[in-house]
Amino acid sequence: MSEHDEFEPHHSASPTDRVLEELQLHGWRPAEGEPDPRPAPDDRIIEGAVADIFDALIATMADTCLDFDLDELLWSSVNMFHRAVERVERKLDDNEQAQKRLQREQDGSEVKSVQLERLIEIGQSLIERRDSLEFFRESAADRYLRATGSPWSPRTGSRVNHRHLTAAMIDSRDFLAAKRRAETEVLVPAGPKIALSGGDTADHRLIWAKLDQVHAKHPDMVLLHGGSPKGAEKIAARWADTRKVPQVAFKPDWAKHAKAAPFKRNDAMLAVMPIGVIVLPGTGIQENLADKARKMGIPVWKFGGA
């Protein structure tokens, strides 16, 4: 017997030991691509976390040399959640295609049935993830509006809230594609369409007053506008965001149409057949829209010396 016999000899760790150690340290976690039974964060907790993010950025950067970067960073904070939603949406699309493929392959066997049930459970988990991330984005967008005075909208694509089946900002390409397919009410909101076009005018009182008049007459209206980041269309976008009116942004496709992009955009907007067009002071682009609308028999309302 040696003086060291009281010590247990060294053993190599088994795979089971590694699993148990992982559970002790981190708890059980499903892998990516597995059904996830864990609950999503409570809405109030999400709102508090988002408020903390924005408050920290504003308190740190406002009234410093970084003040000019603050708006962009606040916009990017909302966009971070928007991009996360898009990533989950792509996984949902893949899951849907996999479910359709397995539905075609069903042969009555238990194996195929279990595989389909597992895909359905994964899809349900992905839907819960998407809806929760959308709530993060909507809470952040609300904080962005409070901080900057401007509604948040993605630079490309649409902003859709699937939990409430509403669309705050719809890209015209999504709108027209969904209209052709007639697959979803979210991207083709029902109700009379009202088009608005204007230049750099900043008369927000006039614009809000006229839109409120139209909204009173057509409570289920959908606002169409050019998606400009400034001027009358930005004011109209903020009005729609505040009044919870669905809006479709017909942004010019400069890459495809070059200098003709604003006029092609006018054609696309009128192709939706709005029941009326509001024209505010601007340029020949607004006059082009008004002339084309009149030729189609669509009423044109001009305000503010337009």
Side-chain angles (χ1 to χ4, degrees), residues 26-300:
H26 306 291
W28 176 80
R29 294 174 297 171
E32 179 72 19
E34 292 183 352
D36 194 338
R38 296 175 296 178
D42 185 83
D43 287 353
R44 288 176 297 177
I45 295 176
I46 291 175
E47 288 178 335
V50 170
D52 289 344
I53 292 171
F54 274 72
D55 289 346
L57 283 173
I58 293 168
T60 304
M61 300 177 68
D63 299 323
T64 74
C65 64
L66 300 178
D67 206 353
F68 295 109
D69 300 302
L70 182 57
D71 280 11
E72 182 65 23
L73 286 174
L74 294 179
W75 185 93
S76 298
S77 298
V78 188
N79 196 54
M80 172 181 65
F81 296 114
H82 182 65
R83 295 295 296 275
V85 171
E86 289 180 331
R87 287 194 294 271
V88 177
E89 283 281 8
R90 287 193 290 270
K91 292 176 182 177
L92 263 173
D93 289 340
D94 293 341
N95 178 269
E96 180 183 2
Q97 295 305 315
Q99 284 191 42
K100 289 179 179 179
R101 184 172 61 254
L102 263 178
Q103 286 169 358
R104 292 191 297 267
E105 295 174 358
Q106 289 299 303
D107 54 8
S109 68
E110 184 177 356
V111 172
K112 293 289 186 182
S113 178
V114 169
Q115 288 176 342
L116 181 57
E117 289 174 1
R118 183 177 179 81
L119 278 177
I120 292 172
E121 290 175 355
I122 293 171
Q124 291 170 339
S125 295
L126 287 171
I127 288 172
E128 188 169 7
R129 280 175 60 187
R130 178 201 63 193
D131 291 352
S132 186
L133 286 168
E134 282 184 348
F135 191 81
F136 265 105
R137 183 195 58 200
E138 295 308 307
S139 298
D142 182 59
R143 288 284 167 179
Y144 178 83
L145 175 61
R146 295 186 200 179
T148 67
S150 298
W152 184 90
S153 62
R155 291 184 178 148
T156 59
S158 300
R159 174 181 156 197
V160 174
N161 187 335
H162 288 84
R163 185 188 293 184
H164 301 294
L165 294 180
T166 59
M169 176 65 75
I170 308 169
D171 186 274
S172 60
R173 287 165 293 187
D174 290 339
F175 175 82
L176 294 174
K179 189 172 188 293
R180 286 192 297 269
R181 297 192 304 268
E183 286 181 352
T184 169
E185 184 68 17
V186 173
L187 291 178
V188 188
K193 313 297 187 289
I194 304 293
L196 180 144
S197 183
D200 292 339
T201 178
D203 192 348
H204 64 277
R205 290 187 179 87
L206 171 68
I207 295 171
W208 279 55
K210 296 305 178 184
L211 286 172
D212 278 338
Q213 288 178 6
V214 177
H215 191 215
K217 188 174 182 180
H218 304 286
D220 56 343
M221 68 175 279
V222 178
L223 179 67
L224 316 179
H225 60 77
S228 175
K230 60 181 181 178
E233 290 166 4
K234 177 181 178 181
I235 294 170
R238 182 176 180 186
W239 172 88
D241 201 59
T242 302
R243 298 289 191 258
K244 307 301 181 185
V245 170
Q247 52 182 307
V248 184
F250 283 78
K251 299 177 182 178
D253 191 341
W254 298 101
K256 183 177 181 180
H257 300 300
K259 293 181 180 179
F263 305 102
K264 294 290 187 181
R265 182 270 313 280
N266 287 350
D267 294 339
M269 192 183 297
L270 293 174
V272 179
M273 294 304 295
I275 64 169
V277 174
I278 299 174
V279 176
L280 294 145
T283 65
I285 297 169
Q286 282 70 45
E287 291 301 324
N288 174 265
L289 179 67
D291 290 343
K292 288 177 176 176
R294 292 190 191 97
K295 290 177 181 177
M296 295 173 66
I298 299 173
V300 176

